[in-house]
Amino acid sequence: FLLSLKLENKTKGKLQKQLCQVVLDHFEKQYTTELGDLWTGVRDVLTHPLCWQYAVLLNKFSQSAELENTLHVKGYHPAFQGPLPYLPVSLKCYIRRTPGRFPAQKHQAGKLKEYYLLNAASLLPVLALEVKDGEDVLDLCAAPGGKSVAVLQCAYPGNFHCNEYDDLRSRWLKQTIESFIPDPLINLITVSKLDGRQIGDLKPALYDKVLVDAPCSNDRSWLFTSDIQQATLRLMQRKELSSLQFQLLRSAIKALRPGGSLVYSTCTLSKAENSDVINLILNSCSNVMPIDISEMAEAVSQEFTFLSGTQKHELLVLPEKGRAWGPMYVAKLKKI
């Protein structure tokens, strides 16, 4: 309970938090080079939490017609409509164009929450993964658990393995799952604290689908790092992240069955952590091929702004005013 209180206060504090100039200067240099003129608009959204938007993901295990009515009255509409290649009827997510957040629900032992607040772009990796009933699924870096919860809104995996190496984040993940998933179903879920880089060797060719929502330089939160020393350290360690991401991906490929697919995602704009990592994997692993996700991107282009010129197996959501979702990078690969 204390953990959820702490986390809640953290988000409340976000609106009052000060921008971290060290991080902003670093981003200015890098993203002006990588995004050109687009960076100005993206920066305006990222540096002003008051224009951030929050999506409401409904929990099908704790349904409330009243909640849907309230959302409609408050101007929310379904986030995903139209001809998506994969959109389970049971996945319900609501968004509205105006900034601000719906009130969060507190964690109560033994009581399921009715909804989860999240960045709507973080559902795109789940939609790209296309989990079907009975499939064995691995969420390699699962905390805080929003994507795991979303997977379970879509389908009933045969075996669902949620892994989180970090101790504090692992507790957070467990709490999220307990808050959203009812008892009989919880038995299908294995929560582990393994080093994601080793899972491929420990559990080779065991999964039909793997999600690698990799540790990354989280642009949104890094901009509000309150401790200058921590910010400087983060920026120094940033160069090492792509190596970790590459190792996690290699491990995920080992864990996949032939014919299985994986989705890689981050919440950073950084090319070094996104397309560079995927290109390195495609060039060094002969047993994977890219999978086209442009149809999914096209179907949600009403609600999300994408960077143009990316390849068909990847997308990058750019935050803009009124569509302040992302940053979110998504790429899909298949094991041959």
Side-chain angles (χ1 to χ4, degrees), residues 37-225:
D37 295 343
L38 293 170
W39 166 240
T40 314
V42 171
R43 182 190 58 208
D44 284 352
V45 173
L46 292 183
T47 54
H48 292 94
L50 290 173
C51 70
W52 294 3
Q53 292 158 268
Y54 295 85
V56 183
L57 173 67
L58 303 197
N59 185 11
K60 70 176 181 186
F61 305 111
S62 174
Q63 275 181 330
S64 147
E66 199 185 318
L67 173 61
E68 289 202 60
N69 291 336
T70 306
L71 287 166
H72 284 303
V73 168
K74 288 186 177 289
Y76 283 83
H77 62 272
F80 303 104
Q81 299 169 36
L84 270 149
Y86 171 86
L87 183 62
V89 185
S90 52
L91 181 78
K92 289 186 175 180
C93 177
Y94 283 86
I95 59 174
R96 63 177 181 180
R97 284 287 163 99
T98 45
R101 59 187 292 158
F102 203 66
Q105 284 185 313
K106 286 194 170 66
H107 175 69
Q108 289 174 280
K111 193 173 188 299
L112 293 183
K113 291 187 180 183
E114 293 178 350
Y115 57 88
Y116 188 96
L117 299 179
L118 77 177
N119 184 324
S122 61
L123 290 175
L124 294 176
V126 175
L127 291 173
L129 199 60
E130 301 190 21
V131 175
K132 296 178 180 65
D133 289 350
E135 288 183 326
D136 294 324
V137 181
L138 167 63
D139 189 349
L140 193 70
C141 317
K147 293 181 181 69
S148 302
V149 166
V151 164
L152 290 163
Q153 302 304 314
C154 295
Y156 295 95
N159 167 35
F160 192 22
H161 181 177
C162 299
N163 181 68
E164 178 54 54
Y165 186 47
D166 181 84
D167 200 44
L168 181 70
R169 287 174 64 82
S170 178
R171 295 213 297 276
W172 189 1
L173 168 67
K174 278 188 179 138
Q175 185 183 291
T176 303
I177 289 170
E178 281 163 18
S179 298
F180 286 90
I181 310 304
D183 263 351
L185 192 60
I186 272 190
N187 303 335
L188 294 177
I189 305 167
T190 308
V191 178
S192 67
K193 286 200 298 187
L194 301 165
D195 183 336
R197 294 169 292 188
Q198 293 163 6
I199 282 185
D201 290 326
L202 296 169
K203 299 179 181 292
L206 209 65
Y207 302 98
D208 302 296
K209 302 275 164 76
V210 179
L211 176 62
V212 184
D213 186 41
C216 67
S217 46
N218 182 329
D219 296 352
R220 255 179 213 251
S221 68
W222 279 28
L223 277 165
F224 294 91
T225 311

Side-chain angles (χ1 to χ4, degrees), residues 296-314:
M296 178 186 85
E298 180 62 36
V300 297
S301 58
Q302 283 297 300
E303 301 294 354
F304 298 92
T305 303
F306 297 106
L307 177 69
S308 59
T310 56
Q311 299 189 71
K312 288 190 168 182
H313 60 271
E314 59 178 359

